[in-house]
Amino acid sequence: MKMFRFLLLLLILHFSHFTNGKKTITSYSTNHLVYTSCTKASYPKICIRTLSSYSTIKTPKDLAKASLNVSISRANKASKFLKNLKVKSKREKGELVDCIEQIGDSIHELRKALFELKHLHKGIGFKFQMNNLETWISASLTNDDTCLDGFKEIDGKVRYDVKRKISNVAKVTSNALYLINLLYNRGGSRI
């Protein structure tokens, strides 16, 4: 009799878990898509951590859009941080001004990519749109690298702080580029 009650309880728990609304099934499919797509990204743990909280991800295109939103958000935060960073020397100030400009350019490139992705369609023009996306995201990564290069000869806390913030932006942007390439390689399936 105890075994019957135990099995009945397990059965009830099982069905209540999958029937308490679409949220459980949806979050499973979202997390599954995020996990399977992110496992081969440049920074898989960051990819999974930053994208698994998005409940609106249903397709690879949604995943790519979310990754660009993460990149834009991180770049905006880095830009704000850099604008408030206190520097001691003229050289640090000059490199910081250049870096802020480059991050601004990165944000612009990422926003263009997000706009293009939102208007992505299959058929004629798909390849052209995907090439634009890859170009803009790659340009954003180049801007991040150029910013970091300016601080190679500078020692101390400023260099450390800039490297930490910009590397964070570059990592999520690298993951976004990977997910865009994945979408492209899938031929835009489920756009």
Side-chain angles (χ1 to χ4, degrees):
M1 189 65 164
K2 284 185 180 182
M3 183 60 127
F4 176 75
R5 286 184 189 165
F6 177 73
L7 290 174
L8 183 62
L9 179 61
L10 278 177
L11 191 61
I12 291 170
L13 286 174
H14 174 76
F15 280 110
S16 67
H17 179 73
F18 288 104
T19 59
N20 66 353
K22 293 181 182 177
K23 200 171 202 171
T24 303
I25 295 169
T26 302
S27 65
Y28 167 77
S29 61
T30 296
N31 287 335
H32 180 72
L33 178 61
V34 169
Y35 180 78
T36 57
S37 298
C38 287
T39 54
K40 293 187 179 175
S42 301
Y43 305 94
K45 289 179 182 176
I46 293 171
C47 185
I48 292 166
R49 182 173 37 83
T50 58
L51 297 173
S52 60
S53 63
Y54 280 80
S55 61
T56 58
I57 296 173
K58 308 258 186 290
T59 66
K61 181 181 174 184
D62 294 337
L63 187 61
K65 285 192 296 188
S67 71
L68 282 172
N69 279 317
V70 168
S71 295
I72 292 167
S73 173
R74 296 282 173 96
N76 279 322
K77 287 176 184 175
S79 178
K80 185 176 180 181
F81 174 82
L82 295 175
K83 288 175 183 174
N84 293 318
L85 194 60
K86 304 293 183 219
V87 295
K88 296 177 184 175
S89 73
K90 268 184 153 181
R91 184 164 182 212
E92 288 176 340
K93 178 71 173 170
E95 294 300 339
L96 190 59
V97 168
D98 289 347
C99 187
I100 291 168
E101 183 178 332
Q102 289 154 351
I103 295 305
D105 291 345
S106 286
I107 293 167
H108 179 71
E109 301 292 342
L110 292 168
R111 286 184 177 150
K112 287 193 307 190
L114 182 60
F115 180 83
E116 188 82 9
L117 184 57
K118 286 180 178 178
H119 297 92
L120 186 66
H121 52 81
K122 282 186 176 182
I124 299 173
F126 174 77
K127 187 175 180 179
F128 177 74
Q129 287 179 295
M130 292 305 295
N131 288 334
N132 284 341
L133 287 164
E134 291 170 340
T135 299
W136 291 324
I137 298 168
S138 294
S140 176
L141 286 168
T142 300
N143 289 328
D144 297 344
D145 287 342
T146 303
C147 170
L148 290 175
D149 286 345
F151 285 88
K152 277 188 178 175
E153 303 296 322
I154 296 174
D155 291 324
K157 185 172 173 10
V158 171
R159 177 183 175 186
Y160 171 79
D161 288 342
V162 170
K163 185 176 180 181
R164 182 175 49 90
K165 286 293 184 181
I166 302 306
S167 294
N168 182 288
V169 173
K171 287 175 183 177
V172 294
T173 303
S174 177
N175 285 339
L177 181 59
Y178 170 78
L179 293 170
I180 291 295
N181 285 325
L182 193 60
L183 178 64
Y184 182 51
N185 292 335
R186 290 177 177 168
S189 63
R190 294 172 29 191
I191 289 182

